[in-house]
Amino acid sequence: SRAAPAPEYDDVLRPCRKPGVRARGFKWFDGQGGASVASENAALGNLSAWRAAHAAKLIVLERQGLAKLVSDRLKHLSSQRGVDAVPTHCRDASCAARVSAQRVTLDAGALETQLDAGVRRFSALLNWARAAAAFDDILYIAYGDLVADPERELRRAYRFLGVDEAWQANASVLTKSVSRPLAEVVANYGEVRAALLRTKWAGEVG
């Protein structure tokens, strides 16, 4: 079957006037555009067919655990207050400081369920990626590795895309938004820690 029109994906293939651009792409989150890996659906089929038709490569970024929940909560705050108040991406230290100053409250009673659900979603995402693309067209990056050694992981990503020398021009474009310990970002960290210490997620709170 042929892929249905997908302008939200085709937009990235339009010619880019920036000098030196050799690769283009977009970020996709599970559920975006109605395409979810949780179950077979037409939107996911369209995305898979579009990827195959354009031989697009996949970079799968793994991020799970408590830090991911905090990041999601900050994105929710951004959608409520606006990106000027709570930016979703930062390019300098002053922007990162504004994000890092935010504090979030998590539902301690629901944390284990939410963390387990995150593992299932990522497992489903892996299954979809492996079915949608050939082995050589998928690169796996762990978020923790990216934070620990961004230069190394960016080299891997650009090499995978066939633009090995480009990493230097983009290595410092974005900066990590929240560098404070979670204990300083989660307003009810004591409650969260107590709840997780009784579960298999105890390592998330040391």
mmCIF file of all heavy atoms in Angstrom, residues 57-108:
data_model
loop_
_atom_site.group_PDB
_atom_site.id
_atom_site.type_symbol
_atom_site.label_atom_id
_atom_site.label_comp_id
_atom_site.label_asym_id
_atom_site.label_seq_id
_atom_site.Cartn_x
_atom_site.Cartn_y
_atom_site.Cartn_z
ATOM 1 N N LYS A 57 16.626 7.629 7.893
ATOM 2 C CA LYS A 57 17.274 6.922 8.996
ATOM 3 C C LYS A 57 16.609 7.298 10.314
ATOM 4 O O LYS A 57 16.013 8.367 10.457
ATOM 5 C CB LYS A 57 18.763 7.254 9.038
ATOM 6 C CG LYS A 57 19.529 6.722 7.837
ATOM 7 C CD LYS A 57 21.029 6.908 8.018
ATOM 8 C CE LYS A 57 21.799 6.237 6.897
ATOM 9 N NZ LYS A 57 23.271 6.318 7.110
ATOM 10 N N LEU A 58 16.717 6.401 11.289
ATOM 11 C CA LEU A 58 16.116 6.612 12.603
ATOM 12 C C LEU A 58 17.205 6.716 13.668
ATOM 13 O O LEU A 58 18.097 5.871 13.724
ATOM 14 C CB LEU A 58 15.188 5.452 12.974
ATOM 15 C CG LEU A 58 13.994 5.172 12.067
ATOM 16 C CD1 LEU A 58 13.257 3.938 12.562
ATOM 17 C CD2 LEU A 58 13.053 6.364 12.019
ATOM 18 N N ILE A 59 17.130 7.752 14.484
ATOM 19 C CA ILE A 59 17.964 7.843 15.686
ATOM 20 C C ILE A 59 17.032 7.693 16.869
ATOM 21 O O ILE A 59 16.144 8.526 17.090
ATOM 22 C CB ILE A 59 18.720 9.178 15.753
ATOM 23 C CG1 ILE A 59 19.682 9.307 14.576
ATOM 24 C CG2 ILE A 59 19.487 9.274 17.079
ATOM 25 C CD1 ILE A 59 20.469 10.615 14.554
ATOM 26 N N VAL A 60 17.194 6.599 17.609
ATOM 27 C CA VAL A 60 16.324 6.301 18.749
ATOM 28 C C VAL A 60 17.032 6.741 20.022
ATOM 29 O O VAL A 60 18.088 6.205 20.377
ATOM 30 C CB VAL A 60 15.993 4.801 18.819
ATOM 31 C CG1 VAL A 60 15.119 4.503 20.031
ATOM 32 C CG2 VAL A 60 15.288 4.351 17.534
ATOM 33 N N LEU A 61 16.469 7.737 20.699
ATOM 34 C CA LEU A 61 17.043 8.249 21.937
ATOM 35 C C LEU A 61 16.312 7.639 23.122
ATOM 36 O O LEU A 61 15.099 7.806 23.268
ATOM 37 C CB LEU A 61 16.937 9.777 21.976
ATOM 38 C CG LEU A 61 17.470 10.459 23.242
ATOM 39 C CD1 LEU A 61 18.983 10.243 23.362
ATOM 40 C CD2 LEU A 61 17.154 11.949 23.213
ATOM 41 N N GLU A 62 17.044 6.924 23.937
ATOM 42 C CA GLU A 62 16.439 6.289 25.107
ATOM 43 C C GLU A 62 16.594 7.187 26.326
ATOM 44 O O GLU A 62 17.699 7.555 26.721
ATOM 45 C CB GLU A 62 17.091 4.939 25.395
ATOM 46 C CG GLU A 62 16.525 4.276 26.648
ATOM 47 C CD GLU A 62 17.172 2.956 26.996
ATOM 48 O OE1 GLU A 62 18.196 2.622 26.375
ATOM 49 O OE2 GLU A 62 16.662 2.260 27.874
ATOM 50 N N ARG A 63 15.467 7.550 26.914
ATOM 51 C CA ARG A 63 15.480 8.301 28.174
ATOM 52 C C ARG A 63 14.317 7.820 29.011
ATOM 53 O O ARG A 63 13.158 7.990 28.635
ATOM 54 C CB ARG A 63 15.381 9.802 27.924
ATOM 55 C CG ARG A 63 15.619 10.602 29.205
ATOM 56 C CD ARG A 63 15.475 12.091 28.984
ATOM 57 N NE ARG A 63 15.915 12.820 30.145
ATOM 58 C CZ ARG A 63 15.751 14.133 30.331
ATOM 59 N NH1 ARG A 63 15.141 14.848 29.395
ATOM 60 N NH2 ARG A 63 16.173 14.727 31.429
ATOM 61 N N GLN A 64 14.624 7.239 30.143
ATOM 62 C CA GLN A 64 13.594 6.716 31.019
ATOM 63 C C GLN A 64 13.895 7.131 32.458
ATOM 64 O O GLN A 64 14.891 7.785 32.734
ATOM 65 C CB GLN A 64 13.531 5.186 30.910
ATOM 66 C CG GLN A 64 13.221 4.671 29.515
ATOM 67 C CD GLN A 64 13.065 3.172 29.478
ATOM 68 O OE1 GLN A 64 12.225 2.606 30.152
ATOM 69 N NE2 GLN A 64 13.885 2.508 28.673
ATOM 70 N N GLY A 65 13.021 6.738 33.351
ATOM 71 C CA GLY A 65 13.270 6.995 34.763
ATOM 72 C C GLY A 65 12.705 8.309 35.259
ATOM 73 O O GLY A 65 11.981 9.021 34.570
ATOM 74 N N LEU A 66 13.089 8.639 36.487
ATOM 75 C CA LEU A 66 12.542 9.811 37.168
ATOM 76 C C LEU A 66 12.887 11.109 36.449
ATOM 77 O O LEU A 66 12.060 12.019 36.352
ATOM 78 C CB LEU A 66 13.063 9.847 38.613
ATOM 79 C CG LEU A 66 12.444 10.884 39.558
ATOM 80 C CD1 LEU A 66 10.941 10.687 39.669
ATOM 81 C CD2 LEU A 66 13.102 10.801 40.931
ATOM 82 N N ALA A 67 14.111 11.216 35.932
ATOM 83 C CA ALA A 67 14.517 12.438 35.228
ATOM 84 C C ALA A 67 13.636 12.690 34.014
ATOM 85 O O ALA A 67 13.333 13.839 33.677
ATOM 86 C CB ALA A 67 15.987 12.341 34.815
ATOM 87 N N LYS A 68 13.208 11.613 33.337
ATOM 88 C CA LYS A 68 12.315 11.765 32.183
ATOM 89 C C LYS A 68 10.962 12.309 32.626
ATOM 90 O O LYS A 68 10.385 13.179 31.955
ATOM 91 C CB LYS A 68 12.134 10.408 31.493
ATOM 92 C CG LYS A 68 11.123 10.395 30.342
ATOM 93 C CD LYS A 68 11.588 11.244 29.193
ATOM 94 C CE LYS A 68 10.783 10.975 27.921
ATOM 95 N NZ LYS A 68 9.350 11.257 28.065
ATOM 96 N N LEU A 69 10.445 11.832 33.751
ATOM 97 C CA LEU A 69 9.166 12.347 34.244
ATOM 98 C C LEU A 69 9.271 13.827 34.584
ATOM 99 O O LEU A 69 8.354 14.606 34.316
ATOM 100 C CB LEU A 69 8.716 11.559 35.472
ATOM 101 C CG LEU A 69 8.283 10.107 35.255
ATOM 102 C CD1 LEU A 69 7.795 9.510 36.565
ATOM 103 C CD2 LEU A 69 7.190 10.005 34.207
ATOM 104 N N VAL A 70 10.391 14.217 35.185
ATOM 105 C CA VAL A 70 10.596 15.624 35.526
ATOM 106 C C VAL A 70 10.666 16.464 34.252
ATOM 107 O O VAL A 70 10.071 17.548 34.174
ATOM 108 C CB VAL A 70 11.876 15.800 36.358
ATOM 109 C CG1 VAL A 70 12.217 17.288 36.522
ATOM 110 C CG2 VAL A 70 11.703 15.160 37.735
ATOM 111 N N SER A 71 11.373 15.967 33.247
ATOM 112 C CA SER A 71 11.464 16.680 31.971
ATOM 113 C C SER A 71 10.083 16.843 31.341
ATOM 114 O O SER A 71 9.739 17.925 30.831
ATOM 115 C CB SER A 71 12.386 15.911 31.019
ATOM 116 O OG SER A 71 12.443 16.530 29.753
ATOM 117 N N ASP A 72 9.282 15.788 31.384
ATOM 118 C CA ASP A 72 7.923 15.865 30.836
ATOM 119 C C ASP A 72 7.089 16.892 31.587
ATOM 120 O O ASP A 72 6.290 17.626 30.994
ATOM 121 C CB ASP A 72 7.242 14.496 30.910
ATOM 122 C CG ASP A 72 7.838 13.494 29.936
ATOM 123 O OD1 ASP A 72 8.549 13.919 29.010
ATOM 124 O OD2 ASP A 72 7.583 12.290 30.110
ATOM 125 N N ARG A 73 7.275 16.946 32.899
ATOM 126 C CA ARG A 73 6.524 17.897 33.719
ATOM 127 C C ARG A 73 6.926 19.334 33.386
ATOM 128 O O ARG A 73 6.084 20.230 33.320
ATOM 129 C CB ARG A 73 6.772 17.607 35.202
ATOM 130 C CG ARG A 73 5.979 18.483 36.157
ATOM 131 C CD ARG A 73 4.499 18.339 35.951
ATOM 132 N NE ARG A 73 3.747 19.236 36.813
ATOM 133 C CZ ARG A 73 2.494 19.581 36.618
ATOM 134 N NH1 ARG A 73 1.842 19.097 35.569
ATOM 135 N NH2 ARG A 73 1.876 20.407 37.438
ATOM 136 N N LEU A 74 8.213 19.549 33.136
ATOM 137 C CA LEU A 74 8.680 20.881 32.751
ATOM 138 C C LEU A 74 8.107 21.282 31.392
ATOM 139 O O LEU A 74 7.760 22.448 31.183
ATOM 140 C CB LEU A 74 10.208 20.911 32.704
ATOM 141 C CG LEU A 74 10.914 20.930 34.067
ATOM 142 C CD1 LEU A 74 12.411 20.725 33.894
ATOM 143 C CD2 LEU A 74 10.635 22.246 34.791
ATOM 144 N N LYS A 75 8.014 20.322 30.480
ATOM 145 C CA LYS A 75 7.398 20.621 29.179
ATOM 146 C C LYS A 75 5.935 21.005 29.363
ATOM 147 O O LYS A 75 5.405 21.874 28.655
ATOM 148 C CB LYS A 75 7.525 19.419 28.249
ATOM 149 C CG LYS A 75 8.924 19.166 27.711
ATOM 150 C CD LYS A 75 8.921 18.044 26.704
ATOM 151 C CE LYS A 75 10.305 17.849 26.095
ATOM 152 N NZ LYS A 75 11.279 17.366 27.076
ATOM 153 N N HIS A 76 5.256 20.330 30.308
ATOM 154 C CA HIS A 76 3.866 20.665 30.597
ATOM 155 C C HIS A 76 3.771 22.094 31.133
ATOM 156 O O HIS A 76 2.867 22.854 30.747
ATOM 157 C CB HIS A 76 3.296 19.672 31.610
ATOM 158 C CG HIS A 76 1.868 19.933 31.974
ATOM 159 N ND1 HIS A 76 0.821 19.787 31.085
ATOM 160 C CD2 HIS A 76 1.303 20.347 33.144
ATOM 161 C CE1 HIS A 76 -0.317 20.094 31.680
ATOM 162 N NE2 HIS A 76 -0.052 20.442 32.934
ATOM 163 N N LEU A 77 4.708 22.479 32.009
ATOM 164 C CA LEU A 77 4.724 23.843 32.526
ATOM 165 C C LEU A 77 4.932 24.841 31.389
ATOM 166 O O LEU A 77 4.324 25.905 31.360
ATOM 167 C CB LEU A 77 5.835 24.009 33.561
ATOM 168 C CG LEU A 77 5.620 23.368 34.932
ATOM 169 C CD1 LEU A 77 6.841 23.604 35.818
ATOM 170 C CD2 LEU A 77 4.372 23.928 35.607
ATOM 171 N N SER A 78 5.792 24.476 30.442
ATOM 172 C CA SER A 78 6.053 25.352 29.303
ATOM 173 C C SER A 78 4.794 25.564 28.476
ATOM 174 O O SER A 78 4.509 26.678 28.018
ATOM 175 C CB SER A 78 7.162 24.751 28.433
ATOM 176 O OG SER A 78 7.426 25.578 27.322
ATOM 177 N N SER A 79 4.022 24.472 28.284
ATOM 178 C CA SER A 79 2.783 24.600 27.506
ATOM 179 C C SER A 79 1.767 25.464 28.234
ATOM 180 O O SER A 79 0.934 26.125 27.603
ATOM 181 C CB SER A 79 2.197 23.216 27.230
ATOM 182 O OG SER A 79 1.740 22.602 28.423
ATOM 183 N N GLN A 80 1.822 25.495 29.573
ATOM 184 C CA GLN A 80 0.892 26.298 30.363
ATOM 185 C C GLN A 80 1.312 27.763 30.439
ATOM 186 O O GLN A 80 0.487 28.664 30.313
ATOM 187 C CB GLN A 80 0.781 25.731 31.783
ATOM 188 C CG GLN A 80 0.040 24.411 31.885
ATOM 189 C CD GLN A 80 -0.093 23.951 33.324
ATOM 190 O OE1 GLN A 80 0.851 24.052 34.109
ATOM 191 N NE2 GLN A 80 -1.271 23.452 33.673
ATOM 192 N N ARG A 81 2.601 27.996 30.655
ATOM 193 C CA ARG A 81 3.095 29.350 30.926
ATOM 194 C C ARG A 81 3.734 30.017 29.721
ATOM 195 O O ARG A 81 3.977 31.225 29.730
ATOM 196 C CB ARG A 81 4.110 29.308 32.072
ATOM 197 C CG ARG A 81 3.558 28.710 33.351
ATOM 198 C CD ARG A 81 4.642 28.608 34.414
ATOM 199 N NE ARG A 81 4.158 27.926 35.609
ATOM 200 C CZ ARG A 81 4.936 27.634 36.654
ATOM 201 N NH1 ARG A 81 6.215 27.962 36.646
ATOM 202 N NH2 ARG A 81 4.428 26.997 37.696
ATOM 203 N N GLY A 82 4.018 29.222 28.693
ATOM 204 C CA GLY A 82 4.663 29.775 27.507
ATOM 205 C C GLY A 82 6.160 29.538 27.516
ATOM 206 O O GLY A 82 6.784 29.463 28.578
ATOM 207 N N VAL A 83 6.747 29.427 26.304
ATOM 208 C CA VAL A 83 8.165 29.097 26.205
ATOM 209 C C VAL A 83 9.065 30.229 26.670
ATOM 210 O O VAL A 83 10.240 30.008 26.975
ATOM 211 C CB VAL A 83 8.534 28.702 24.760
ATOM 212 C CG1 VAL A 83 7.858 27.404 24.369
ATOM 213 C CG2 VAL A 83 8.167 29.818 23.784
ATOM 214 N N ASP A 84 8.548 31.452 26.732
ATOM 215 C CA ASP A 84 9.373 32.550 27.243
ATOM 216 C C ASP A 84 9.617 32.380 28.735
ATOM 217 O O ASP A 84 10.709 32.661 29.238
ATOM 218 C CB ASP A 84 8.707 33.906 26.977
ATOM 219 C CG ASP A 84 8.705 34.262 25.497
ATOM 220 O OD1 ASP A 84 9.599 33.767 24.778
ATOM 221 O OD2 ASP A 84 7.819 35.024 25.072
ATOM 222 N N ALA A 85 8.587 31.922 29.448
ATOM 223 C CA ALA A 85 8.722 31.715 30.893
ATOM 224 C C ALA A 85 9.458 30.424 31.204
ATOM 225 O O ALA A 85 10.309 30.377 32.098
ATOM 226 C CB ALA A 85 7.338 31.701 31.549
ATOM 227 N N VAL A 86 9.113 29.364 30.473
ATOM 228 C CA VAL A 86 9.754 28.052 30.682
ATOM 229 C C VAL A 86 10.173 27.515 29.310
ATOM 230 O O VAL A 86 9.427 26.773 28.676
ATOM 231 C CB VAL A 86 8.802 27.059 31.375
ATOM 232 C CG1 VAL A 86 9.559 25.778 31.742
ATOM 233 C CG2 VAL A 86 8.161 27.668 32.609
ATOM 234 N N PRO A 87 11.357 27.870 28.835
ATOM 235 C CA PRO A 87 11.809 27.403 27.514
ATOM 236 C C PRO A 87 11.912 25.877 27.471
ATOM 237 O O PRO A 87 12.225 25.237 28.474
ATOM 238 C CB PRO A 87 13.192 28.060 27.366
ATOM 239 C CG PRO A 87 13.199 29.199 28.342
ATOM 240 C CD PRO A 87 12.336 28.749 29.474
ATOM 241 N N THR A 88 11.648 25.316 26.303
ATOM 242 C CA THR A 88 11.784 23.866 26.149
ATOM 243 C C THR A 88 13.186 23.481 25.698
ATOM 244 O O THR A 88 13.610 22.343 25.890
ATOM 245 C CB THR A 88 10.759 23.336 25.134
ATOM 246 O OG1 THR A 88 10.904 24.060 23.909
ATOM 247 C CG2 THR A 88 9.342 23.501 25.664
ATOM 248 N N HIS A 89 13.910 24.416 25.070
ATOM 249 C CA HIS A 89 15.292 24.179 24.654
ATOM 250 C C HIS A 89 16.099 25.440 24.925
ATOM 251 O O HIS A 89 15.579 26.547 24.787
ATOM 252 C CB HIS A 89 15.387 23.827 23.166
ATOM 253 C CG HIS A 89 14.702 22.558 22.813
ATOM 254 N ND1 HIS A 89 13.376 22.517 22.447
ATOM 255 C CD2 HIS A 89 15.142 21.278 22.791
ATOM 256 C CE1 HIS A 89 13.027 21.260 22.204
ATOM 257 N NE2 HIS A 89 14.070 20.493 22.404
ATOM 258 N N CYS A 90 17.346 25.267 25.326
ATOM 259 C CA CYS A 90 18.185 26.424 25.661
ATOM 260 C C CYS A 90 19.472 26.426 24.857
ATOM 261 O O CYS A 90 20.067 25.376 24.595
ATOM 262 C CB CYS A 90 18.526 26.407 27.156
ATOM 263 S SG CYS A 90 17.114 26.861 28.201
ATOM 264 N N ARG A 91 19.884 27.646 24.494
ATOM 265 C CA ARG A 91 21.123 27.819 23.746
ATOM 266 C C ARG A 91 22.179 28.569 24.547
ATOM 267 O O ARG A 91 23.295 28.775 24.068
ATOM 268 C CB ARG A 91 20.848 28.554 22.429
ATOM 269 C CG ARG A 91 19.956 27.776 21.474
ATOM 270 C CD ARG A 91 19.606 28.592 20.243
ATOM 271 N NE ARG A 91 18.737 27.832 19.354
ATOM 272 C CZ ARG A 91 19.178 27.076 18.350
ATOM 273 N NH1 ARG A 91 20.475 26.996 18.119
ATOM 274 N NH2 ARG A 91 18.338 26.414 17.573
ATOM 275 N N ASP A 92 21.813 29.023 25.741
ATOM 276 C CA ASP A 92 22.800 29.730 26.555
ATOM 277 C C ASP A 92 22.506 29.509 28.036
ATOM 278 O O ASP A 92 21.449 28.987 28.422
ATOM 279 C CB ASP A 92 22.811 31.236 26.233
ATOM 280 C CG ASP A 92 21.423 31.867 26.366
ATOM 281 O OD1 ASP A 92 20.811 31.751 27.448
ATOM 282 O OD2 ASP A 92 20.955 32.481 25.378
ATOM 283 N N ALA A 93 23.439 29.917 28.870
ATOM 284 C CA ALA A 93 23.352 29.667 30.310
ATOM 285 C C ALA A 93 22.191 30.420 30.963
ATOM 286 O O ALA A 93 21.579 29.923 31.913
ATOM 287 C CB ALA A 93 24.669 30.045 30.979
ATOM 288 N N SER A 94 21.883 31.628 30.481
ATOM 289 C CA SER A 94 20.808 32.399 31.106
ATOM 290 C C SER A 94 19.458 31.725 30.894
ATOM 291 O O SER A 94 18.602 31.709 31.785
ATOM 292 C CB SER A 94 20.775 33.828 30.555
ATOM 293 O OG SER A 94 20.516 33.820 29.158
ATOM 294 N N CYS A 95 19.262 31.152 29.702
ATOM 295 C CA CYS A 95 18.036 30.404 29.414
ATOM 296 C C CYS A 95 17.958 29.169 30.310
ATOM 297 O O CYS A 95 16.931 28.893 30.922
ATOM 298 C CB CYS A 95 18.008 30.006 27.944
ATOM 299 S SG CYS A 95 16.716 28.811 27.524
ATOM 300 N N ALA A 96 19.067 28.442 30.406
ATOM 301 C CA ALA A 96 19.103 27.240 31.232
ATOM 302 C C ALA A 96 18.813 27.580 32.689
ATOM 303 O O ALA A 96 18.161 26.811 33.404
ATOM 304 C CB ALA A 96 20.451 26.542 31.096
ATOM 305 N N ALA A 97 19.280 28.721 33.137
ATOM 306 C CA ALA A 97 19.056 29.136 34.519
ATOM 307 C C ALA A 97 17.570 29.361 34.788
ATOM 308 O O ALA A 97 17.062 29.035 35.868
ATOM 309 C CB ALA A 97 19.845 30.402 34.823
ATOM 310 N N ARG A 98 16.845 29.921 33.805
ATOM 311 C CA ARG A 98 15.406 30.137 33.971
ATOM 312 C C ARG A 98 14.664 28.802 34.103
ATOM 313 O O ARG A 98 13.761 28.667 34.916
ATOM 314 C CB ARG A 98 14.832 30.916 32.779
ATOM 315 C CG ARG A 98 15.325 32.325 32.670
ATOM 316 C CD ARG A 98 14.330 33.242 31.968
ATOM 317 N NE ARG A 98 13.801 32.728 30.717
ATOM 318 C CZ ARG A 98 14.417 32.821 29.545
ATOM 319 N NH1 ARG A 98 15.613 33.367 29.467
ATOM 320 N NH2 ARG A 98 13.839 32.369 28.444
ATOM 321 N N VAL A 99 15.060 27.821 33.293
ATOM 322 C CA VAL A 99 14.414 26.515 33.373
ATOM 323 C C VAL A 99 14.776 25.824 34.674
ATOM 324 O O VAL A 99 13.930 25.256 35.365
ATOM 325 C CB VAL A 99 14.821 25.626 32.176
ATOM 326 C CG1 VAL A 99 14.151 24.266 32.280
ATOM 327 C CG2 VAL A 99 14.450 26.296 30.867
ATOM 328 N N SER A 100 16.060 25.901 35.030
ATOM 329 C CA SER A 100 16.542 25.203 36.218
ATOM 330 C C SER A 100 15.926 25.761 37.493
ATOM 331 O O SER A 100 15.862 25.071 38.517
ATOM 332 C CB SER A 100 18.069 25.307 36.279
ATOM 333 O OG SER A 100 18.602 24.433 37.242
ATOM 334 N N ALA A 101 15.461 26.993 37.434
ATOM 335 C CA ALA A 101 14.856 27.605 38.616
ATOM 336 C C ALA A 101 13.454 27.083 38.889
ATOM 337 O O ALA A 101 12.900 27.280 39.979
ATOM 338 C CB ALA A 101 14.817 29.120 38.446
ATOM 339 N N GLN A 102 12.856 26.405 37.923
ATOM 340 C CA GLN A 102 11.506 25.873 38.090
ATOM 341 C C GLN A 102 11.517 24.676 39.043
ATOM 342 O O GLN A 102 12.485 23.948 39.134
ATOM 343 C CB GLN A 102 10.928 25.434 36.743
ATOM 344 C CG GLN A 102 10.936 26.491 35.675
ATOM 345 C CD GLN A 102 10.068 27.686 36.030
ATOM 346 O OE1 GLN A 102 8.983 27.540 36.591
ATOM 347 N NE2 GLN A 102 10.554 28.866 35.706
ATOM 348 N N ARG A 103 10.417 24.501 39.752
ATOM 349 C CA ARG A 103 10.247 23.328 40.604
ATOM 350 C C ARG A 103 8.934 22.649 40.239
ATOM 351 O O ARG A 103 7.953 23.318 39.921
ATOM 352 C CB ARG A 103 10.253 23.723 42.094
ATOM 353 C CG ARG A 103 11.651 24.062 42.591
ATOM 354 C CD ARG A 103 11.657 24.689 43.959
ATOM 355 N NE ARG A 103 11.186 23.808 45.025
ATOM 356 C CZ ARG A 103 11.929 22.871 45.618
ATOM 357 N NH1 ARG A 103 13.171 22.654 45.195
ATOM 358 N NH2 ARG A 103 11.448 22.139 46.600
ATOM 359 N N VAL A 104 8.949 21.335 40.248
ATOM 360 C CA VAL A 104 7.765 20.580 39.859
ATOM 361 C C VAL A 104 7.341 19.674 41.001
ATOM 362 O O VAL A 104 8.140 19.299 41.857
ATOM 363 C CB VAL A 104 8.029 19.724 38.593
ATOM 364 C CG1 VAL A 104 8.441 20.604 37.426
ATOM 365 C CG2 VAL A 104 9.089 18.666 38.863
ATOM 366 N N THR A 105 6.065 19.329 40.988
ATOM 367 C CA THR A 105 5.519 18.406 41.988
ATOM 368 C C THR A 105 5.026 17.160 41.265
ATOM 369 O O THR A 105 4.294 17.257 40.278
ATOM 370 C CB THR A 105 4.350 19.056 42.756
ATOM 371 O OG1 THR A 105 4.835 20.226 43.431
ATOM 372 C CG2 THR A 105 3.784 18.089 43.789
ATOM 373 N N LEU A 106 5.457 16.003 41.745
ATOM 374 C CA LEU A 106 5.075 14.734 41.135
ATOM 375 C C LEU A 106 4.081 13.997 42.025
ATOM 376 O O LEU A 106 4.066 14.185 43.241
ATOM 377 C CB LEU A 106 6.314 13.858 40.913
ATOM 378 C CG LEU A 106 7.425 14.447 40.041
ATOM 379 C CD1 LEU A 106 8.613 13.497 39.974
ATOM 380 C CD2 LEU A 106 6.914 14.758 38.645
ATOM 381 N N ASP A 107 3.268 13.173 41.407
ATOM 382 C CA ASP A 107 2.300 12.354 42.134
ATOM 383 C C ASP A 107 3.026 11.116 42.652
ATOM 384 O O ASP A 107 3.215 10.145 41.926
ATOM 385 C CB ASP A 107 1.153 11.966 41.203
ATOM 386 C CG ASP A 107 0.050 11.185 41.916
ATOM 387 O OD1 ASP A 107 0.261 10.766 43.079
ATOM 388 O OD2 ASP A 107 -1.017 10.983 41.314
ATOM 389 N N ALA A 108 3.449 11.148 43.898
ATOM 390 C CA ALA A 108 4.249 10.061 44.453
ATOM 391 C C ALA A 108 3.523 8.720 44.393
ATOM 392 O O ALA A 108 4.142 7.679 44.138
ATOM 393 C CB ALA A 108 4.642 10.385 45.901
#
